[in-house]
Amino acid sequence: MAWKRAAARIAAVIFALPEAAHRFASAQAYGSPAEGPAATEAIIVLGCPTHPDGSLHPLQRWRVDIAARTMNPRVRVVVFTGTTAKTGVSEASAMAAYARTQGIPDNLCVLEEEALSTWQNLEYSAPLVEEHDVLRLVSDPMHAWRARQFLARQNPQLAAKLAPAVDYRPLERWRWKLGTMIYECVARYREWRNPRLPT
């Protein structure tokens, strides 16, 4: 029976640790934007590769779902960012197509289809959103936290406009939270080893 108790503890840690990590990440690295009734807002939805056949990846679906619930009447533009992979379907266009089915108006959707990394997602999207008072970065919580830190390095004035997206919900996509936590830890380690090559 001891092995069953040990297995139960290990399972609990595997389940609880990613949940806690995503909740923590969701609350980190924001600015102090002017969020009054006259403020205008922009959303950047960070890309990730589609499936090999060009169809939407579950992580892309998660990101668009977060963008849809983050929408409010002050949003003036939603930038979908990510390059065209070998499939010929850009990450940006795949996410934007799904976004339209989730109620994000087509006239607000803007595509940035050149970025090859999170760093470039932000670098190339910044000119499309800098006129607005509030900026919300959308991805899974741990990736979005790293992206906010990247933006602070790239463009402190724009980072000062950062406000939260509605990205963390308890138990949501719990199977993916372990994988995204591991990926983000590896990405941060690689950057620590080689800070000249942010991903």
Side-chain angles (χ1 to χ4, degrees):
M1 297 300 293
W3 69 269
K4 290 184 178 180
R5 289 193 294 271
R9 292 191 186 103
I10 292 170
V13 169
I14 291 173
F15 180 81
L17 183 58
E19 195 70 34
H22 281 77
R23 181 177 181 178
F24 174 82
S26 179
Q28 307 304 310
Y30 295 105
S32 300
E35 293 191 72
T40 62
E41 300 192 9
I43 292 173
I44 297 176
V45 185
L46 303 170
C48 73
T50 61
H51 282 307
D53 64 358
S55 61
L56 204 67
H57 189 280
L59 284 177
Q60 293 175 311
R61 190 180 302 273
W62 186 9
R63 294 176 189 190
V64 174
D65 289 345
I66 292 169
R69 67 187 185 226
T70 300
M71 292 292 294
N72 66 70
R74 295 179 296 278
V75 175
R76 297 293 181 268
V77 62
V78 183
V79 178
F80 296 91
T81 173
T83 191
T84 300
K86 295 178 181 179
T87 62
V89 178
S90 74
E91 300 166 18
S93 64
M95 292 190 296
Y98 175 60
R100 296 180 186 105
T101 72
Q102 300 306 299
I104 296 179
D106 183 63
N107 66 302
L108 299 185
C109 297
V110 174
L111 305 186
E112 184 294 299
E113 298 178 285
E114 301 299 322
L116 294 166
S117 65
T118 300
W119 185 268
Q120 290 183 354
N121 286 153
L122 301 166
E123 183 179 18
Y124 298 166
S125 299
L128 305 174
V129 301
E130 59 189 3
E131 67 183 273
H132 298 287
D133 303 301
V134 178
L135 174 61
R136 303 181 194 272
L137 299 184
V138 166
S139 185
D140 66 86
M142 292 197 70
H143 181 224
W145 176 27
R146 181 162 58 93
R148 291 190 295 271
Q149 292 175 313
F150 279 0
L151 186 62
R153 290 162 55 186
Q154 288 182 9
N155 192 331
Q157 288 184 321
L158 189 55
K161 299 180 181 182
L162 284 168
V166 188
D167 58 3
Y168 175 74
R169 284 186 173 175
L171 307 183
E172 180 184 43
R173 299 323 200 269
W174 62 268
R175 291 183 178 87
W176 285 99
K177 284 177 178 173
L178 176 60
T180 54
M181 182 189 73
I182 293 170
Y183 180 90
E184 287 302 310
C185 289
V186 171
R188 287 177 179 271
Y189 174 74
R190 287 176 175 168
E191 187 187 355
W192 174 73
R193 289 292 303 270
N194 192 349
R196 295 183 180 182
L197 295 174
T199 58

